[in-house]
Amino acid sequence: VAPTTPVCDVPSSAMTGTVVQLSCKETEGSPPSEYQWYKNGVALLEKTGTGRARTPNITYTMNKKSGTLLFNTVTKNDTGEYFCEASNGVGLSQKCSVKRMQV
């Protein structure tokens, strides 16, 4: 079953240095969807925070299975327009509407 349009939860504003979590979920897709977050139209890299290749300017953890995008300490650089895309290999992938987060 192809995914339906996911529901994105993006805070409209956040304080610098706080923990912020964005979430994305759709329930119709079978097999379960994987989620990809985008910022300003650019796909975010999946970073689990493990390994030595920690990129200094990546301040988030993205979980493709659960659809969460977690910022441990948001910075002004994280301000932007976010949306997520759900895909499971069946039918077309679905995107939620773009939401702006101001830090």
Side-chain angles (χ1 to χ4, degrees), residues 3-71:
T4 55
T5 303
V7 176
C8 294
D9 185 20
V10 178
S12 56
S13 64
M15 292 292 291
T16 305
T18 59
V19 175
V20 177
Q21 180 169 304
L22 285 57
S23 66
C24 178
K25 201 76 191 149
E26 72 81 32
T27 52
E28 300 292 312
S30 179
S33 291
E34 289 207 341
Y35 303 97
Q36 170 66 54
W37 278 97
Y38 293 80
K39 176 187 174 188
N40 300 331
V42 179
L44 293 174
L45 297 168
E46 185 171 24
K47 273 284 179 210
T48 53
T50 56
R52 290 202 195 93
R54 281 300 299 256
T55 315
N57 60 351
I58 290 187
T59 58
Y60 60 82
T61 306
M62 180 170 63
N63 185 324
K64 291 194 170 191
K65 298 277 187 219
S66 67
T68 57
L69 180 64
L70 180 68
F71 293 93

Side-chain angles (χ1 to χ4, degrees), residues 49-94:
T50 56
R52 290 202 195 93
R54 281 300 299 256
T55 315
N57 60 351
I58 290 187
T59 58
Y60 60 82
T61 306
M62 180 170 63
N63 185 324
K64 291 194 170 191
K65 298 277 187 219
S66 67
T68 57
L69 180 64
L70 180 68
F71 293 93
N72 288 323
T73 51
V74 292
T75 67
K76 290 200 185 313
N77 293 339
D78 295 319
T79 294
E81 297 189 337
Y82 290 86
F83 70 90
C84 103
E85 180 179 60
S87 58
N88 66 354
V90 182
L92 295 172
S93 58
Q94 298 287 335

